[in-house]
Amino acid sequence: MAKRITTQEKILNAAEALFAEQGFEQTSLRQITTEADVNLASVNYHFGSKKALIQAVMARYLEVFMPKLAEQLVQLAERGNFTTRDVFDCFREPLSELRQVRKHGPTLFLSLLGFAYAEIQGHLRRYTMDHFGDVMALLLDTLHQANPQLSPVDMFWRLHFVLGATVFAQVSGPALREIAAADFGEAVAADQVIDRLIPFLAGGVDAASHSSTVE
């Protein structure tokens, strides 16, 4: 017999689908309650606020993704002599693990992450740092080890450009896949975009610094 879904799960599933499609700012609690077929009081009872609901949606993924990423990074550090590409390759298995959360978990997570970054959801950044700050510190330290020539400010800019490219690839993914199919006859699944993205991201972080001074 199929497991009966709880009211909390109905709300989370509805919110996740709407957030991933429309973004956090454009999705109202009324839309979520309509999609979940619950009343507003249920949302307030289980989550208390829209921000708390957003954090709960992300937590389902982060609680799987972050420990797995930490595990991959520790294994990489133990191996030693690694490159930026090796660091970004550490994301592959954690993303794949998200299929245990939802069938299309990797795509949904990247879409949610994209909206979180594009819409400047500061509370999500604080939530992530409060709960997974050690993993973020480990990631940053590992990237610095792979790129000792980069100053902290260079790394800051390059990581934000990495995030920007990732957001663009995710938000524009459907259109890019359609163009690839129409113009080049290449069929690319949503989850395969990461295979195209990782070499680009690693190359961008590794690129030699150039002076901005004009002669």
Side-chain angles (χ1 to χ4, degrees), residues 3-133:
K3 179 184 173 183
R4 185 167 179 264
I5 189 169
T6 66
T7 298
Q8 187 175 30
E9 289 172 324
K10 286 172 66 176
I11 296 168
L12 282 170
N13 292 344
E16 175 191 279
L18 290 166
F19 289 153
E21 181 182 353
Q22 302 177 170
F24 302 109
E25 293 180 356
Q26 296 302 314
T27 300
S28 68
L29 286 178
R30 183 178 296 278
Q31 288 176 300
I32 293 169
T33 56
T34 299
E35 181 71 18
D37 193 24
V38 300
N39 56 42
L40 185 59
S42 295
V43 177
N44 291 329
Y45 173 77
H46 287 289
F47 301 100
S49 68
K50 184 179 177 181
K51 286 183 178 179
L53 175 57
I54 291 172
Q55 291 169 10
V57 167
M58 293 300 293
R60 295 205 292 187
Y61 291 97
L62 292 171
E63 287 170 1
V64 174
F65 179 82
M66 287 297 195
K68 193 65 180 179
L69 177 60
E71 179 184 307
Q72 295 291 306
L73 291 172
V74 168
Q75 290 176 6
L76 183 65
E78 290 173 348
R79 191 187 82 188
N81 192 30
F82 51 83
T83 65
T84 305
R85 173 68 181 270
D86 294 328
V87 178
F88 283 118
D89 278 336
C90 286
F91 283 78
R92 293 180 183 275
E93 193 168 332
L95 282 170
S96 182
E97 286 287 311
L98 297 181
R99 292 189 179 90
Q100 67 179 264
V101 180
R102 305 285 277 176
K103 181 180 178 181
H104 300 293
T107 301
L108 287 167
F109 175 65
L110 289 174
S111 181
L112 292 166
L113 203 61
F115 281 118
Y117 181 72
E119 297 177 2
I120 316 177
Q121 295 288 318
H123 68 96
L124 264 183
R125 183 182 185 280
R126 290 190 294 273
Y127 172 85
T128 302
M129 294 307 295
D130 286 346
H131 290 80
F132 307 103

Side-chain angles (χ1 to χ4, degrees), residues 106-168:
T107 301
L108 287 167
F109 175 65
L110 289 174
S111 181
L112 292 166
L113 203 61
F115 281 118
Y117 181 72
E119 297 177 2
I120 316 177
Q121 295 288 318
H123 68 96
L124 264 183
R125 183 182 185 280
R126 290 190 294 273
Y127 172 85
T128 302
M129 294 307 295
D130 286 346
H131 290 80
F132 307 103
D134 55 337
V135 183
M136 299 302 294
L138 176 60
L139 172 61
L140 191 60
D141 182 61
T142 307
L143 281 168
H144 274 300
Q145 289 182 54
N147 296 273
Q149 79 285 1
L150 293 181
S151 68
V153 69
D154 280 337
M155 184 63 76
F156 165 82
W157 283 110
R158 294 186 188 203
L159 287 181
H160 280 80
F161 293 150
V162 162
L163 284 170
T166 303
V167 169
F168 172 79

